[in-house]
Amino acid sequence: MILTVTLNTALDITYRVRSLRPHASHRVSEVTERPGGKGVNVARVLAALGHEVTVTGFTGGATGRVVQERLASVPGVVDALVPITGATRRTIAVVDDRSGDTTQLNEPGPTVTPTEWSAFQEAYEHLLTSASAVALCGSLPPGVPVGAYAGLVRTARSAGIPVLLDTSGEPLRRGVAARPDIIKPNADELAELTGSHEPLRATQDARRRGARAVVTSLGAEGLLAASPEGRWRAAPPTLVRGNPTGAGDSAVAGLLSGLVEHLPWPDRLARATALSAATVQAPVAGEFDRGVYEEWLGRVTVTGEVSAA
């Protein structure tokens, strides 16, 4: 079982409009709702790839009940969310059909009490006993300590479970020091962590700070990876336009599935890049166009070098 952690779960709402204009009223042509948050999106993609996945994090209020109701209908995903008093947040994505651009509005999330945080930590330790890998994803809701991910990384490592961390800012900086197996920042998040805007130099610096492997998302240009086994660049065959929401989460799913399947790094990166592109072509986060994925999987270009033994 792969465990995904989403401390700031959400109900993802996507509106489609013909053309988004400031200071104007808009007629919405389509509305979709999905259980969301980065780890939930990762879990949905992992399940679609055939893996058994358990989702944990927090859920509360009427929005939280909707998230759990929708999650129950996702094949292959087990709900182990921890109840809290506060209401689960919503995220709003507005897709402009004319330009293809997406505008994202993210609520901060509910305040988590110390008692609720302790209950989650107990649940997390129990879930790790049957996990083959864990992904720690997304922002921290109010009330959760800024060093929360560092503690969760250490707990997973103590249990011998490989852990992937996908967050940003101070939670990422502290989490890296706990020595996760993989981190997956985008280029801006990596620059904020290291102070370097040159991706290759920044990935090397992030490894020196504690991450065993670093995979950086370069947006439409693909992925850059540095690990003890070598350094690689994975690039899609052509530019893909669409809704980028969730593309990074699909890349995480590709990396994590490749890890538990013991794939070599070039194959992991090709899968992650193809899944990311296929998600841009899908209408909502946490889904991917399987036809695009299967077509592109063999067309992703992976170049690099293997480290000397």
Side-chain angles (χ1 to χ4, degrees):
M1 176 270 286
I2 298 175
L3 177 65
T4 71
V5 175
T6 312
L7 296 178
N8 213 0
T9 53
L11 180 65
D12 287 342
I13 303 170
T14 302
Y15 294 135
R16 301 193 73 93
V17 299
R18 182 178 180 184
S19 178
L20 182 62
R21 305 181 308 280
H23 316 299
S25 297
H26 298 80
R27 187 177 298 278
V28 176
S29 60
E30 182 182 352
V31 181
T32 57
E33 292 185 348
R34 295 289 188 278
K38 293 178 71 65
V40 175
N41 294 336
V42 171
R44 190 185 290 110
V45 175
L46 284 169
L49 292 173
H51 290 275
E52 295 181 358
V53 193
T54 296
V55 170
T56 192
F58 295 112
T59 182
T63 305
R65 288 192 292 273
V66 174
V67 167
Q68 292 187 284
E69 290 169 2
R70 299 294 176 89
L71 202 57
S73 66
V74 182
V77 175
V78 175
D79 175 2
L81 293 169
V82 176
I84 59 173
T85 301
T88 297
R89 67 186 179 132
R90 297 161 298 178
T91 68
I92 310 296
V94 183
V95 180
D96 184 321
D97 284 334
R98 180 169 295 177
S99 68
D101 293 334
T102 300
T103 299
Q104 192 80 17
L105 304 173
N106 296 328
E107 296 179 359
T111 298
V112 177
T113 69
T115 300
E116 291 165 343
W117 175 236
S118 295
F120 169 79
Q121 290 175 289
E122 291 180 11
Y124 175 72
E125 290 184 23
H126 174 72
L127 289 166
L128 284 176
T129 61
S130 55
S132 57
V134 58
L136 307 173
C137 303
S139 61
L140 299 179
V144 173
V146 70
Y149 281 137
L152 298 180
V153 168
R154 293 189 187 100
T155 301
R157 287 181 55 82
S158 296
I161 308 301
V163 54
L164 184 153
L165 176 61
D166 183 15
T167 188
S168 60
E170 186 65 13
L172 175 60
R173 189 184 70 80
R174 298 198 186 193
V176 166
R179 306 187 68 82
D181 293 88
I182 306 172
I183 63 170
K184 197 223 66 69
N186 62 34
D188 290 339
E189 293 163 348
L190 187 63
E192 182 183 5
L193 172 67
T194 64
S196 174
H197 291 272
E198 200 290 304
L200 182 57
R201 179 181 301 172
T203 56
Q204 293 170 330
D205 182 63
R207 290 197 62 220
R208 285 192 292 268
R209 291 169 183 257
R212 177 175 172 81
V214 180
V215 180
T216 307
S217 173
L218 304 176
E221 297 179 10
L223 299 172
L224 179 67
S227 79
E229 292 80 16
R231 297 181 298 183
W232 294 272
R233 174 77 174 267
T238 187
L239 180 66
V240 179
R241 294 190 62 84
N243 181 2
T245 307
D249 304 332
S250 291
V252 168
L255 295 171
L256 207 57
S257 63
L259 185 153
V260 300
E261 294 173 28
H262 306 291
L263 296 181
W265 270 102
D267 292 345
R268 298 186 204 181
L269 295 169
R271 177 181 291 182
T273 302
L275 281 170
S276 182
T279 299
V280 172
Q281 295 288 288
V284 293
E287 295 183 359
F288 63 95
D289 186 308
R290 187 169 292 274
V292 172
Y293 166 64
E294 293 175 351
E295 177 188 352
W296 280 40
L297 184 58
R299 298 177 59 200
V300 173
T301 301
V302 181
T303 57
E305 58 186 19
V306 177
S307 297

